[in-house]
Amino acid sequence: MSRSTPSHALSTSTSSRTSLLSARLPRRAALATLLLPLAACAAKSGDADAPASDGGGTDRPADGSASPAGGLTVTDPWVKAAEEGMTSGFGTLINGTAQDLVLSGARTAAASRVELHETTADGSGGMSMQEKEGGFALPAGGDLLLEPGGNHLMLIELTAALRPGDEVELILEFEDGTEHPFTATVKDFAGAQEHYEPEGSSGSGASDGGGAHGEHGGDE
């Protein structure tokens, strides 16, 4: 004996399923709508927390400037070998900052004191050294060449012999109070016939306590 299902029962069942499915879909859609803004907020938060990059991999102040100590470099620094007395230091100072600087002094444990020297004609066809009053100007973006026969650092009263291959720690001092340490290599050098005539000397070459300093920059 066959059993038949009333048509109104089938209609009711189909309608119930359709209603249930329709009820579920809006809930899922609402959930997706809620999650999308949350994901977007999380992405923005991650971007904000990430460090900013200037494309060069170097941290820089917001105004683009740099401190003298960070933006100053010394290339090819070296000191002339000497057994005692005096000697000189050379190299190229490069001012990579946006500030004009004035090199006013220097110091090192290798000598009792360091002076800034310039070399000028002595009037007799030779060259004579003298202390540079007011220091050396180092304009923003410019450089200062310290070389035999020209401007240089004068190490006076050496505390020990400086032999080729040794290293000398020096500190540059600037007028604004900033400092810049660097290391120079000791080298043999012969050349640049200069005479150091400090104030009050007779002009025949000053004594440095270890013998006459007749030819600074040349063979001792």
Side-chain angles (χ1 to χ4, degrees), residues 79-85 87 110 157-164 166-168 186:
V79 171
K80 180 181 178 294
E83 288 294 320
E84 57 183 6
T87 191
E157 296 180 7
L158 297 178
T159 57
L162 297 179
R163 299 186 174 91
D166 290 347
E167 292 188 337
V168 179
V186 178

Side-chain angles (χ1 to χ4, degrees), residues 1-18:
M1 181 177 183
S2 62
R3 180 182 298 176
S4 61
T5 302
S7 60
H8 70 274
L10 289 175
S11 176
T12 301
S13 176
T14 302
S15 177
S16 299
R17 290 178 182 177
T18 301

Side-chain angles (χ1 to χ4, degrees), residues 166-188:
D166 290 347
E167 292 188 337
V168 179
E169 303 290 334
L170 296 104
I171 299 176
L172 300 176
E173 302 168 345
F174 293 88
E175 192 175 62
D176 63 358
T178 57
E179 299 181 338
H180 183 81
F182 69 98
T183 303
T185 302
V186 178
K187 299 180 180 180
D188 270 327

Side-chain angles (χ1 to χ4, degrees), residues 4-142:
S4 61
T5 302
S7 60
H8 70 274
L10 289 175
S11 176
T12 301
S13 176
T14 302
S15 177
S16 299
R17 290 178 182 177
T18 301
S19 299
L20 181 60
L21 180 60
S22 299
R24 287 178 180 176
L25 286 177
R27 290 178 185 175
R28 291 181 181 179
L31 182 59
T33 303
L34 178 63
L35 291 178
L36 284 175
L38 291 177
C41 290
K44 289 182 179 179
S45 175
D47 291 342
D49 293 339
S53 172
D54 60 4
T58 302
D59 293 333
R60 296 181 62 84
D63 61 0
S65 63
S67 65
L72 180 77
T73 56
V74 181
T75 61
D76 301 322
W78 62 283
V79 171
K80 180 181 178 294
E83 288 294 320
E84 57 183 6
M86 302 180 182
T87 191
S88 49
F90 312 101
T92 301
L93 281 59
I94 302 174
N95 182 3
T97 76
Q99 309 169 26
D100 292 336
L101 302 174
V102 176
L103 179 63
S104 58
R107 66 182 187 271
T108 178
S112 296
R113 69 181 191 277
V114 179
E115 295 180 357
L116 307 181
H117 280 198
E118 62 180 350
T119 305
T120 59
D122 61 9
S124 61
M127 302 298 290
S128 177
M129 294 185 304
Q130 61 185 14
E131 190 170 4
K132 175 67 173 177
E133 294 186 8
F136 293 122
L138 186 53

